[in-house]
Structure formats: structure tokens, C-alpha cells
Amino acid sequence: AIKINLQVLKKNHNDFSENDRRRVDISESQVVRLEGILQELLDFAKPLQMQLHECSVNQILATCLDLVSAQFEQKNVSVISDFALDLPAIQGDTEKLSQAFLNVLLNAFNESPAGGKIWITSRCAPNAVNPGIDVRVDDEGNGILKKDLPNIFEPFFTTKVSGTGLGLTNVKRIVEAHGGSVEAANREPHGASFCVFLPL
């Protein structure tokens, strides 16, 4: 209700001063931020209810990139994607996997400098015991402190002033609910790398 009323005010701003418009813009952006925090808390608090069906990891990744493209362009962050064409379909929850990959992409985006690059790749992982698909996201940020690496998937652990510490926690919950795993590491010469494994 607050957001809708702010949006109505923005449409009828003829009598607003520049300062009034700025205050409405700030208020709307903070409501959007609160929505994001509440959604992360709700996702963490409620049990995961999976709707499994045959889905394409590449298609999910492409959709996620479309969703964040405008945001990335504002910061002039470019994405270099390299998706293997021979990926088999998996049994997964498209909505939940989209949420997980979006969180990883946005984490890389937040750590990236203006004008930086993010690489995202998908590959078959033809392990004889546990075959699956590897998705890797690399960024050019400052990387992860060695002392923080063991904790970054823990609930409420964050190095950001405004972070909830639940984004990567929810990534881990979703991936593990699919029988997979997620790992983080630093990359050379700088930046971080996240690798998601999803079994077939």
C-alpha cells in the first residue's frame, strides 16, 4: 500500500518541488529494499516446498540474465556467458532454482566494480558416481577474506552494512534440496567464484 501510494504521488508530481520528488524517490527505493529483506526472511523461515519437473538449466540461467540486465547496464557491468549446448534436462523446481541463481548473480554484481565483468558458465559434470551439471559464476570484485570463507553460507552472516546475510544461505538451501552442492572460492588475480552442482 505504501509503495502504490508513492507511485501515485510520482505520477501526480506537477506541484512538487525538486526536493519533494527526491524524497518520494528515496521513500520508494527504501520500500523496495524492505520488500527484498522481508522476502529473504520469509524464504529462510518457511520450509521449502518443491515443485519438481523436467527443466533446462540453460533456460533458467538465460531468464535470470534477462531479469538483471537493466540493473547490470546501469553499473556498466558486462556478463560473459558460456553455456554448454549438450546439457541434459534435470528434475528441478524452476522457480526455486531461478531464485538461487539470481542470488548468486546479484551477489557477484554487488561485489563488482563499475565497468567490471561477470562470467557465467554451464558444463556437464560426467562423474560416473554422481553425474550432473556445474554452473559457475566468477566476478572481478575484492574476493572473500580467507577467514570468512567457511561462514559465507551461514544464516545472517554478512560483510555488507545493509545485507541480511540470507541470500547465500537460501542459495545453499535450494541447491541442497535438489541434492546438489554450492562452493565458493577466490579467483586469480582477484574476485570470487561460486560453483553450483546439480545432479541429474
Side-chain angles (χ1 to χ4, degrees), residues 75-77 108-117 139-142 190:
K75 193 175 173 181
N76 196 27
V77 172
F109 169 77
N110 290 330
E111 295 298 325
S112 295
K117 295 183 179 67
D139 64 61
E140 290 185 311
N142 293 321
H190 52 79

Side-chain angles (χ1 to χ4, degrees), residues 120-136:
I120 178 167
T121 61
S122 65
R123 293 287 184 271
C124 279
N127 185 304
V129 177
N130 193 21
I133 293 172
D134 282 328
V135 175
R136 180 169 167 161

Side-chain angles (χ1 to χ4, degrees), residues 7-23:
Q7 289 170 343
V8 170
L9 283 173
K10 284 181 72 174
K11 288 181 180 178
N12 301 286
H13 66 276
N14 295 336
D15 297 328
F16 280 9
S17 68
E18 185 63 33
N19 193 46
D20 290 334
R21 280 192 289 272
R22 186 178 65 84
R23 289 181 182 276

Side-chain angles (χ1 to χ4, degrees), residues 94-197:
T94 300
E95 183 180 338
K96 297 291 191 302
L97 287 173
S98 295
Q99 179 187 344
F101 288 132
L102 277 173
N103 281 353
V104 175
L105 282 168
L106 290 173
N107 185 77
F109 169 77
N110 290 330
E111 295 298 325
S112 295
K117 295 183 179 67
I118 292 174
W119 294 266
I120 178 167
T121 61
S122 65
R123 293 287 184 271
C124 279
N127 185 304
V129 177
N130 193 21
I133 293 172
D134 282 328
V135 175
R136 180 169 167 161
V137 176
D138 295 320
D139 64 61
E140 290 185 311
N142 293 321
I144 307 165
L145 292 176
K146 189 174 180 179
K147 67 181 181 64
D148 292 338
L149 268 172
N151 303 313
I152 60 170
F153 295 107
E154 293 298 316
F156 305 108
F157 178 83
T158 181
T159 58
K160 303 182 185 75
V161 175
S162 60
T164 63
L166 290 175
L168 292 177
T169 299
N170 284 327
V171 170
K172 184 179 180 182
R173 289 179 72 217
I174 291 169
V175 171
E176 289 183 349
H178 283 81
S181 60
V182 56
E183 297 178 350
N186 285 309
R187 58 181 294 272
E188 295 296 337
H190 52 79
S193 176
F194 286 81
C195 188
V196 173
F197 169 78

